[in-house]
């Protein structure tokens, strides 16, 4: 049962949510411009030194992940605040740590030219550098601050689900799944779908943060005391555990808004089912162990882990495709769906999730990975997943809030323009990555072999169209917010 | 034995396990040293687990400071386990014992603070802290420069 908030509490909860959402969108806007400049540079439209490219690539990578994570965190925090009382101060502290970390990273890259890629894979931040040592330190401390903020948020979520639903057993819905009759006869109800997203974000998030702290502190210690030598394979395992799971969790957090939003648009109920609970149990495990697919090329890695990585990558798609996406399609099928920007974004996000996920599973298939590893196929699938998945889910939630509060929706013309921009421009942008990847163009190179530059040009045209759509989205958001403010004044 | 009795027993074992090896002057590889530390952290964490009031549930509505403590304790542990200081500490038994006591205390603080925040959070953090120390043995400063 959802907690009823009085107007003051609701206002405070919304303030937290908007703080996170606006921060996320602001970072996203800055990072999309940096990404655009990188594609233009690869296309030969503009020119800057390769070092500048790698520095901007580092900032773009870590900035985008942080942007979508922060926005998703705000959305999920608000949804769980509707379930139980949460301390807003903690949410602001976590936000403060993340913003402080982001500022440190920006300084390290823009002032110090740090450019070891966002994955800061040991020993790259320390060997053959063109940036000063302080920039490495700023970057590592910045990432550590973001990780502390993330840990605080995840621990608060963990406390939230444990106290609200009766420990791990209750939060998992264990009795609901295995002793259903007795469970229902006792008058209890399982956690709502969005609580499963919170549980997975909390448990895998705390695990991810823990791993991030190990490698983060180890790198900081090595920076201060270079005689402390780190095992590179150990470092790579920890780094990719942290990076993979953190990036994955952004979409699992954001999808909570779809669980709540889509039923409102379809005017139908979306309840927790046994299939949904079990699917999220699977996600809880697969998010943590799929990262091994990043280490296929590391011949010294234990062979069994490679197979675990491949199996987990395949298995992780089942809960997504069969439960969340199929369930959402059934929600829409033959419903009186209200199509607005909010519902379009949510629905489009499901499409992007499936397409990006399919590209990811292909790349996680060992024989295919032999060809696609470290080609532009990799950014192709994760840009699909992030841009046409997470970002659309968060935009969907944002517009649902704005539409409900303003009592107004965008015109059909605006919806078409935004749809064409996101899926036309966005599609063109992504196609540039996919085709180049399939052609074997390597990723993370300032200067690409053919057909990289031509496809980068095509992708840049896509970005221009996408940017136009984003400007329209921004104008619409401001317009709806202004109407909402007038209504509540 | 009562919960408090178990907690006291674990606490005394933690103190003895911190002090005796430090003065024994055993020279160990860094990886083994990390593993020793994981044991100390676990002892401190387990003592905190048994000292908590089992009927207290805590609430995410308050107790922000407890959450901050439970998050920061594992980070502090990683810094205390600074591998290049081990040689120096091996030669200074009192400081070495103090380092061990601090590690056990950090395990205690993480679990006690987490359990005070919401029941279950501290135990989770205690397990993760132990895992951190064990994982460190696989690569944190264990290679020759």
């Amino acid at each position: 049962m959802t907690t009823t908030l009085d107007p003051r509490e609701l206002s405070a909860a919304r303030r937290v949510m908007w703080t996170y959402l606006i921060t996320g969108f602001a970072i996203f806007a800055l990072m999309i411009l940096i990404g655009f400049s990188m594609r233009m540079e690869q296309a030969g439209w503009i020119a800057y030194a390769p070092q500048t490219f790698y520095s901007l690539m580092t900032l773009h990578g870590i900035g985008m992940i942080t942007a979508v994570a922060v926005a998703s965190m705000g959305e999920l925090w608000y949804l769980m605040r509707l379930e139980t009382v949460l301390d807003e101060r903690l949410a602001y502290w976590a936000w403060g740590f993340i913003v402080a970390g982001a500022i440190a990273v920006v300084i390290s890259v823009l002032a110090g030219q740090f450019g070891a890629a966002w994955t800061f894979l040991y020993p790259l931040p320390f060997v053959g550098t063109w940036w000063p040592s302080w920039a490495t330190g700023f970057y590592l401390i910045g990432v550590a601050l973001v990780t502390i903020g993330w840990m605080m948020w995840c621990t608060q979520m963990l406390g939230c689900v444990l106290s609200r639903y009766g420990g791990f057993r209750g939060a998992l819905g264990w009795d609901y799944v295995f002793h259903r009759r007795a469970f229902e006869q006792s008058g209890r109800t399982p956690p709502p779908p969005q609580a499963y997203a919170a549980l997975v974000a909390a448990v895998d998030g705390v695990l991810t943060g823990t791993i991030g702290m190990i490698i983060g502190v180890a790198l900081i210690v090595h920076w201060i005391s270079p005689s402390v030598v780190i095992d590179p394979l150990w470092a790579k395992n920890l780094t990719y555990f942290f990076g993979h799971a953190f990036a994955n969790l952004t979409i699992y957090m954001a999808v909570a808004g779809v669980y709540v939003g889509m039923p409102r648009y379809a005017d139908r109920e979306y309840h927790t089912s046994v299939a949904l609970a079990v699917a999220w149990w699977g996600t809880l495990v697969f998010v943590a162990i799929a990262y091994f697919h990043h280490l296929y090329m590391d011949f010294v890695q234990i062979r069994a882990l490679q197979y675990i990585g491949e199996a987990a990558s395949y298995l992780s798609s089942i809960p997504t495709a069969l439960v969340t996406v199929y369930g959402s399609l059934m929600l829409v099928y033959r419903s009186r769906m209200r199509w607005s920007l909010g519902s379009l974004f949510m629905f489009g996000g499901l499409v992007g999730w499936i397409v990006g996920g399919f590209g990811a599973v292909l790349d996680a298939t060992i024989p295919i990975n032999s060809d696609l590893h470290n080609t532009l196929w990799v950014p192709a699938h994760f840009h699909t997943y992030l841009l046409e998945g997470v970002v659309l889910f968060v935009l969907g939630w944002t517009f649902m809030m704005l539409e409900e509060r303003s009592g107004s929706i965008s015109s059909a013309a605006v919806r078409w323009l935004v749809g064409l921009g996101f899926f036309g421009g966005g599609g063109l942008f992504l196609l540039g990555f996919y085709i180049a990847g399939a052609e074997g163009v390597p990723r993370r190179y300032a200067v690409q072999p053919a057909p990289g530059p031509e496809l980068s040009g095509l992708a840049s045209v896509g970005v221009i169209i996408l940017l136009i759509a984003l400007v329209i989205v921004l104008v619409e958001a401001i317009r709806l917010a202004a109407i909402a403010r007038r209504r509540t004044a | 034995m009562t919960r408090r009795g178990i907690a006291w027993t674990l606490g005394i074992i933690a103190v003895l396990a911190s002090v005796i090896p430090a003065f024994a002057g055993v020279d160990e590889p860094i990886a083994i040293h990390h593993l020793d530390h994981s044991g100390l952290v676990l002892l401190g964490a387990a003592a905190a687990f048994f000292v908590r009031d089992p009927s207290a549930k805590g609430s995410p509505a308050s107790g922000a400071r407890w959450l901050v403590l439970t998050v920061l304790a594992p980070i502090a542990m990683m810094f205390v386990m600074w591998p290049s200081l081990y040689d120096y500490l091996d030669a200074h038994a009192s400081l070495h014992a103090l380092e061990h006591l601090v590690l056990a205390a950090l395990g205690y603080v993480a679990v006690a603070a987490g359990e005070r925040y919401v029941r279950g959070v501290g135990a989770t953090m205690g397990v993760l802290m132990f895992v951190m120390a064990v994982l460190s043995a696989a690569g944190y400063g264990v290679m020759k420069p």
Side-chain angles (χ1 to χ4, degrees), chain A residues 85-87 90 93 148 151 155-156 159 163 168 206-207 210-211 213-214 217-218 221 224-225 227-231 234, chain B residues 60-61 64 67-68 71 75 78-79 82-84 117-121 124-125 128 132 135 138-143 145:
Chain A
V85 184
L86 291 172
D87 191 335
L90 272 173
W93 286 0
I148 292 172
M151 274 296 280
T155 309
Q156 190 182 29
S163 68
F168 281 108
V206 166
L207 194 58
T210 301
I211 299 294
M213 286 193 296
I214 302 175
V217 172
V221 167
I224 297 168
S225 178
S227 65
V228 176
V229 180
I230 296 168
D231 182 305
W234 176 82
Chain B
L67 183 145
V68 173
V71 168
I75 301 172
M78 288 300 295
F79 278 110
W82 194 293
S84 58
Y117 177 60
V118 170
R119 190 167 68 185
V121 169
T124 307
M125 295 307 285
L128 289 175
M132 286 170 86
L135 276 179
Y140 179 30
V142 299
M143 296 176 77

Side-chain angles (χ1 to χ4, degrees), chain A residues 26-27 44 57 89 101 115 198 235 300 322 381 383 392 399:
Chain A
I27 301 173
M57 184 186 76
R89 289 173 306 166
V300 283
L322 286 191
H381 80 67
H383 275 85
L392 291 190
F399 269 85

